[in-house]
Amino acid sequence: MNIRKTVFTKEIITADEMGQACDPITRVVAMAVVKNPFAGVHQDDLSPLFDVGAQLGDSLIQELVNMLGAPAVCYGKAALAGSSGAMEHGAAMLHPALGKPVRAAIGGGKSLMPSNHKVGALGGSIDLPLGHKDDAWSFDHIDTMTLWVPDAPRADEIVLCIALSDGTRVHPRVGNGPGPT
């Protein structure tokens, strides 16, 4: 695994978009910029990227837990592949193995870890979805963080993102909804 850089961000939200104060909500994210070994190449066996996802999850999650400073309530993940990569390269890093070390570090996680992956240009953004770690139907916990690294991804890179939050959206008013429809 070839990591060019890792970026950590912590945001503490104290008001909504209209300026209405709220109890603080903390969201933390780690973004690792890694070399894509399959950039520009069609490859059926993407299992080496499964291992990269697991290794990054294991190496980044403890820092995120420490940064959050409170029990994690929500989690999410995303991957932005550079222009010589494929969406499936990001998916391979996210889905098979990344969640296991995250769940172990936060003490659970019954819900599917929300995710997003796409191909993007240098300096492109990706929307990372957040959801409740144990209750997939808690609509108040469904949130999004828009992320970017100004000098990434280069054409042969992938930006892997993992996020945690200690609460809901600001002033949620949706509730749990009616359940599956």
Side-chain angles (χ1 to χ4, degrees):
M1 174 173 44
N2 183 349
I3 300 173
R4 181 164 63 90
K5 70 168 152 180
T6 307
V7 178
F8 290 92
T9 301
K10 178 177 185 174
E11 63 181 25
I12 302 169
I13 303 165
T14 57
D16 67 14
E17 300 86 350
M18 305 301 148
Q20 179 77 28
C22 66
D23 290 335
I25 301 163
T26 302
R27 303 188 309 184
V28 295
V29 65
M31 295 174 282
V33 180
V34 299
K35 180 91 167 165
N36 181 353
F38 302 124
V41 177
H42 176 81
Q43 176 72 25
D44 287 329
D45 178 10
L46 298 178
S47 60
L49 292 175
F50 304 171
D51 296 335
V52 171
Q55 291 170 12
L56 286 171
D58 192 50
S59 69
L60 299 174
I61 191 59
Q62 195 55 55
E63 181 70 24
L64 286 177
V65 168
N66 293 341
M67 287 173 61
L68 189 61
V73 174
C74 299
Y75 56 15
K77 57 189 176 180
L80 180 61
S83 61
S84 291
M87 186 179 349
E88 198 67 7
H89 298 160
M93 290 179 69
L94 295 179
H95 298 307
L98 176 68
K100 185 175 181 178
V102 173
R103 286 181 176 87
I106 64 172
K110 296 176 188 172
S111 295
L112 182 68
M113 194 172 182
S115 65
N116 187 18
H117 43 83
K118 70 178 191 177
V119 174
L122 183 71
S125 66
I126 188 156
D127 291 332
L128 181 148
L130 289 165
H132 195 285
K133 69 181 182 74
D134 294 314
D135 182 1
W137 293 103
S138 178
F139 297 141
D140 285 350
H141 289 87
I142 297 172
D143 202 354
T144 304
M145 296 179 75
T146 300
L147 307 170
W148 67 92
V149 177
D151 66 342
R154 293 178 178 156
D156 63 347
E157 293 178 332
I158 299 173
V159 180
L160 180 118
C161 312
I162 306 169
L164 300 175
S165 174
D166 67 2
T168 65
R169 293 184 310 278
V170 177
H171 302 305
R173 297 175 292 279
V174 177
N176 287 334
T181 57

